[in-house]
Amino acid sequence: MRGCRTGTIRAVVTERFKGEVEVAYEQWSRRGAPVEWLDRAGVTAATGAESYCGALLDQRGGSLNPLGYARGLAEAAQKAGAKIFSATPALGIERQGSRWKLAMPKGAIRCEKIVIGTNGYTGPLWPKLEQTIVPVYSAIAATEPLPPEIAKRILPRRPVVYENSRFYGYYRIDSGGRFLLGARGALHDTSDPAEYGHIIAHSTKLFPAMALVLERPGGDHGRPLTACA
């Protein structure tokens, strides 16, 4: 599954942030975008959470499976004549006259043009480029598939929600029925469950019934999973 267009909800946590989201709604509306303003009752019905004072619903948004999307791009590129080589990192780039030389573990490639599209994974390949990239860590906690009685009460139409707050919370239910909630994470790579406590606490604050899932001992739904993204 590469993605699902079920809409995105920009939820307002406090009245302090409500004005800027309303402005965004008005701007998109004037341009004919398929957006809708949700009042407190509307956002509660759409999310299942009772803590929001309003929200902007954008019907164009949704979720995207990055791996599925990358594979789709690769497939399209190959159909267009591109050749893809896996496990073949570029170790160095050197200008030789009018052409470029890319050093590989088992040889080299010479070409007229190159595109460095590796973003944060570029490393020291291009001088000084690494210094322009600042990592921003985001942590995600995920449950086992939710029991049906709880799953139907949370995000009934399966939109993707992101909060307009300093917590930067965002969440959805995936195709397997798992609840995923992310937010600011520790400023380093980690798989320590202690680093995700604030995220799990936020999920139970939004949806008190989630505490029953996370605290159920021994059952299929009792073990919260964690991952760092």
Side-chain angles (χ1 to χ4, degrees), residues 158-217:
R158 299 297 184 258
V160 177
V161 179
Y162 65 103
E163 297 178 343
N164 200 80
S165 70
R166 293 181 177 177
F167 186 75
Y168 295 114
Y170 53 94
Y171 55 91
R172 66 184 178 92
I173 293 179
D174 69 8
S175 59
R178 303 189 309 161
F179 179 78
L180 288 72
L181 189 146
R184 284 179 172 176
L187 298 180
H188 54 270
D189 291 328
T190 178
S191 58
D192 183 357
E195 302 278 13
Y196 299 84
H198 64 297
I199 296 176
I200 295 173
H202 192 63
S203 69
T204 56
K205 177 182 177 182
L206 289 172
F207 308 104
M210 194 69 68
L212 300 177
V213 178
L214 299 176
E215 295 172 3
R216 185 179 301 178

Side-chain angles (χ1 to χ4, degrees), residues 98-185:
S98 61
R99 299 172 67 84
W100 294 96
K101 176 184 176 182
L102 279 69
M104 306 293 177
K106 296 183 179 180
I109 294 177
R110 290 175 174 79
C111 55
E112 294 182 0
K113 297 180 180 180
I114 60 172
V115 175
I116 300 177
T118 47
N119 201 2
Y121 296 94
T122 303
L125 179 64
W126 188 260
K128 297 186 178 180
L129 178 60
E130 188 176 23
Q131 300 174 22
T132 68
I133 298 173
V134 178
V136 177
Y137 289 88
S138 180
I140 299 176
T143 67
E144 295 285 356
L146 298 174
E149 66 272 17
I150 294 179
K152 67 182 182 181
R153 293 154 52 188
I154 300 176
L155 306 176
R157 295 187 178 181
R158 299 297 184 258
V160 177
V161 179
Y162 65 103
E163 297 178 343
N164 200 80
S165 70
R166 293 181 177 177
F167 186 75
Y168 295 114
Y170 53 94
Y171 55 91
R172 66 184 178 92
I173 293 179
D174 69 8
S175 59
R178 303 189 309 161
F179 179 78
L180 288 72
L181 189 146
R184 284 179 172 176

